[in-house]
Structure formats: C-alpha cells, structure tokens
Amino acid sequence: MIRSFINLRPLKHPRIWSGLYAGVVSIVLVLLAVKQQGYVYDIRYSPVILTFAYLGPVAGLITGLFALSIRLVSSGNWFPAIAGWTFIMVVFTILHAYFSRRQLPLFKRSLALSGAYIVLYMCTVFTFGIMVSEPLFHLQYVCFVILGVLLGGLLIESHERLRRTIVERDEMELSLNESEYQYRLIAENTSDLIVVMDPDHSIRYLSPSHAFVLGYTNLAQDRAELDRIISEEDTAVFDQTVRKILEQKASQSMEIRFRHQDGRLIPFDSLCKPVEGRKGRIEHIVIISRDISERKKAEEFLLQSEKLSVVGELAAGVAHEIRNPLTTIKGFLQLYKLENPSIKYGDLLQDELDRIELITSELLSMAKPQAALYTLANVKDVIEQTLEFLTPQALLSNIEFNREYQGEYFPVMCVKNQLKQVFLNLFKNAIESMPNGGKIRIGLQTDTNGECLITIQDQGCGIPEEHLHRLGQPFYSLKEKGTGLGLMISHKIIKQYHGRIAYHSKVSEGTRIEIRLPIHG
C-alpha cells in the first residue's frame, strides 16, 4: 500500500520480494506470540495463507520458511512444528494447483486455504496430543488466525480494487488524450471549416482552417463573428437551416457563401448535424463546410461547353447554308468572266470568294466531331491553315504575322485538327495580348536534337514571372473572362504527341512560346 503512493520502478521479481516482505511480517507476528504450556501460539500462518492464495507457492514457501525459522528459534517442541509446517506446505501447494485450474477467485482461495488450515491444525493437535483438554484455547487461536486472514484479505482486495480503479482511470485518460489528439489533428489540419455552435448561435469551436481558408487571423467565438464571415445574402438561409435542425432534429445541407478577408465570396457546401444531449434536447450543432469553388467552375465550364457545342452546331449550319449561295455566286462569276474577259477586278472577286469558301470549310471541319486518327502532317501547312483562319481577326486588331520558316517540310505524326487547335489557342492569346496592334513572329525550324521547334513571339503585355509556372493549370487564366482551359487542352495535346511547351515572358515586353515536337522519320 505504501508503494502505491510512491512512484517507484516496478519490481523485477515481485513474488519473491512479496514473499520476503510477508516473511518479515510473520517474524513480527511470532515475536508477539502467546506462550502456553511450552507451546508458542501466534498468527504467523495468516500471512502464509494470504501469500499462497494471492502470490502462489514460491512466495508462500518463502514466507513459510521465515515463519518456521523464527518459530524454531523462539521456542522448543520442534518436531510438531516442523511436521505440521511440512504437511501444511504440501497441502497448500496441491490446493493452489487445484484452485488455479478451477480459476477460483483469490479471496475465495484464501478462505478455502483457511478452512484447510483449520483441518490440518486440528489433525496436528490430536496427533501430538497438544492441550486436548482445552478446546476453548484452540478455538480462540483458530479464530485469531482466521480473523488475520479476513483482515489481510480485505486490505488486499481493497488495495487491488483501488489499484484497478487507478489503472482504469489512467488508461481512460490516456485513451481520451489519444482520441482528443487525433480529433484535434484532424480538425486543425483539414481544409474543411468546422464550427460547433449552440442552439442560441453562440460558438463553441472554430477550426483553425477558418484562418488559412478565409484569411482571418483571429475569430472570436460569438455570433457577431459568424455573421461577419457569412454573406449578407445567405444569412436568411443559414438562420432557416438552423431553425429546421432544431425543429426536425435531423441533419440539413445548405450552400452558403463565406466572405474572405479580401472581400470576395467563396461558395461552401455545408452539412449541419445536431448533437443531442439529455432528454433528446439538441445541445450543439456541428457545421462542416467544404469549398466548392472548383466544382462551381466545373459546372460553369460544362455550361460553357454546352453553349460552345450549340454555337458550333449553329456555325456548322450557317457555314453549310453559306456554301450554297456561294457556289451559285462563284458559278455565275465564272460564266460572267467567260462572256466578259476584260471585266475589271474579276480575279480579285474570285480570290475573295475562294477565301470565303476556305473559311466556311474550316468552320465545318472545326465544328464536326472527328475520330482521333493519327496521320503524317506538315507542321508548316497546319500553321498556314490556322493563320488563314485568323487573318480576318488579325486585320481587325491591326496585327501582322511575320513568318520565319527555315525549311518547307516538317513531318509530325498527329491529329491535324488537334494540332490546329493548339496553334489556334496560342495565336488567339497572342492577338488578345496586343489590343493596340503589333507583330507576331512565327518561327519554324529543326533544332539540334532533330526536333521540330515552333516559336511564337508577340509584343503584348507579357506575363509576370511568378505566374509562368501556373500556365496550363485548369481554370487558371490571366484574362478577365478566360477559363484557363485553352492552354490546359493545348498542354495535354502537346504532351500526347511526346512534345514539350515552354514560356518565356517579361512584363510590357511580350511573350515567347517554344513548342518542340518529334519529327517523324
């Protein structure tokens, strides 16, 4: 019991040390013995019985040896003492093995061993004829031994119960600390916003994610701060959802917008779950909110894609309808030229009609879905066809294309329309970066590694260096109404052809794009 209040190291051999301790106790009990007609009567067998019951034969034999030794030293009549001790040790050892197999509780073992000791003691008294005429004395002695066993057993049981309570409490505290650590680890490192709120809208907990998602360094735990981050337009939705939770006692979902510190609104999908307490009352509401900005952008992109699909179909229909009267005009122009060979500007009209026909053909080919069939295409021809398509827009924007081709044939295995789409996206970006007009230099050559090198150099506004590494990421665009998907698709197509694309830019000086594609053969 003393050791339970002292933070000591556990004993390496507790049974041996406990046996020695119980042996010392038995020595003290023998020193307090009562002598009667040459015999010494004490309760030294009480610690022996308890040691056998709770610690087993090894500790019991050690305690019994101490008790026998002090008994032999303190008085005579050795033979009855040694014979009785030997008989008791053998019987106790056998009974302990039997009790262990039956898994008898320890306190009941001590009572059973006490009963066996009474029987063995009476056998010793009658065998050696020890004060047979004074049964009251033997009864008093046996009662004192049993009383010692009962008191010792109760002390041990109370101590064990206290120890188990302390151990269970420590284990529970450790388990609670581990659980609290795990939940804190999740709550404090998740990007989701977690709020624990009382029914009166007072805040119990705000996860640290509010700081790095919304930019607020500190948020007080009150309703005023919660209203501070919720959009004014969504406050009514929030109050209505909380009211439903309190009335229906069921989880509710809502989409609300939280205000970032810089003023912009961020949409969140929030799941609100009630936490019931005593008598079914809702004591807390847990709100878990997840940023759905990317999902909203994806939905907008799908809507935009649907619009583009419709526009593409309309463009294809318009182009198809244009080709019909265009064919008639071309036919009659040719007849008119045959009848009037000296007609002025006839060739110019014919060239412009051919140009209109080329543009309508390009619209049809761009709008019509085609299978991804790899063919051998000349990069120079693909670039020229794309420039032909963009020339009207370039003229309107006062843009001039300067071609710097170092060769005529650059064969690349590709899907022609996909490669045309890449050039179309890049040329359009270059045109839009020069609202006041300028020149776009287009280079085409074979580099030292035997790859086809395409360079596009504009004189536009340029791109800050810290943004270059983000080009090609989904939904990232420096244009006010851009989606960032054009460059993303272009990167994907170039990578699909085992090529590379790189950007070099300076603000107010322009941007240089380098595309490398493996040349076939």
Side-chain angles (χ1 to χ4, degrees), residues 173-192 194 205-209 212:
E173 288 181 355
L174 181 61
S175 177
L176 288 174
N177 290 335
E178 291 179 353
S179 298
E180 182 182 358
Y181 171 75
Q182 292 176 354
Y183 285 120
R184 188 186 301 115
L185 187 67
I186 295 172
E188 294 183 357
N189 293 279
T190 181
S191 60
D192 294 344
I194 302 175
Y205 173 78
L206 282 169
S207 62
S209 52
F212 58 83

Side-chain angles (χ1 to χ4, degrees), residues 308-329:
L308 292 175
S309 176
V310 174
V311 170
E313 292 177 3
L314 290 174
V318 170
H320 183 74
E321 293 299 325
I322 290 174
R323 293 181 71 179
N324 292 331
L326 185 64
T327 303
T328 304
I329 293 173

Side-chain angles (χ1 to χ4, degrees), residues 18-30:
S18 300
L20 294 175
Y21 169 73
V24 173
V25 173
S26 65
I27 291 175
V28 175
L29 294 176
V30 171

Side-chain angles (χ1 to χ4, degrees), residues 84-262:
W85 179 87
T86 304
F87 195 37
I88 290 173
M89 293 298 105
V90 172
V91 173
F92 279 9
T93 303
I94 295 173
L95 288 176
H96 180 271
Y98 173 75
F99 295 152
S100 298
R101 287 199 301 269
R102 298 293 298 272
Q103 296 183 350
L104 192 68
L106 299 180
F107 186 71
K108 290 184 178 180
R109 291 187 190 185
S110 64
L111 295 179
L113 291 176
S114 299
Y117 173 75
I118 294 173
V119 174
L120 295 175
Y121 174 77
M122 297 306 297
C123 292
T124 303
V125 169
F126 286 108
T127 300
F128 294 97
I130 302 172
M131 298 173 61
V132 179
S133 60
E134 298 184 20
L136 183 60
F137 174 81
H138 294 294
L139 178 62
Q140 290 176 345
Y141 169 72
V142 169
C143 287
F144 270 106
V145 173
I146 300 304
L147 180 61
V149 172
L150 290 175
L151 291 176
L154 291 174
L155 286 173
I156 293 173
E157 287 294 326
S158 62
H159 171 261
E160 280 298 308
R161 183 167 295 181
L162 177 62
R163 185 189 64 82
R164 285 195 296 268
T165 302
I166 294 173
V167 170
E168 290 175 358
R169 185 198 65 187
D170 293 341
E171 291 177 351
M172 188 178 298
E173 288 181 355
L174 181 61
S175 177
L176 288 174
N177 290 335
E178 291 179 353
S179 298
E180 182 182 358
Y181 171 75
Q182 292 176 354
Y183 285 120
R184 188 186 301 115
L185 187 67
I186 295 172
E188 294 183 357
N189 293 279
T190 181
S191 60
D192 294 344
L193 307 185
I194 302 175
V195 179
V196 181
M197 185 181 70
D198 289 344
D200 60 355
H201 291 190
S202 59
I203 305 301
R204 290 275 183 171
Y205 173 78
L206 282 169
S207 62
S209 52
H210 287 78
F212 58 83
V213 173
L214 299 177
Y216 298 99
T217 55
N218 55 350
L219 283 172
Q221 296 184 357
D222 55 24
R223 177 59 194 271
E225 293 296 335
L226 190 61
D227 289 340
R228 171 185 167 191
I229 64 175
I230 296 178
S231 171
E232 293 83 358
E233 295 84 357
D234 297 335
T235 304
V237 176
F238 177 78
D239 293 338
Q240 184 180 2
T241 302
V242 174
R243 197 179 306 112
K244 283 184 179 180
I245 293 173
L246 297 177
E247 293 174 355
Q248 302 176 7
K249 296 182 179 180
S251 300
Q252 299 287 336
S253 297
M254 61 179 175
E255 284 192 12
I256 58 175
R257 292 168 297 173
F258 289 158
R259 186 175 300 279
H260 195 274
Q261 191 178 20
D262 58 13

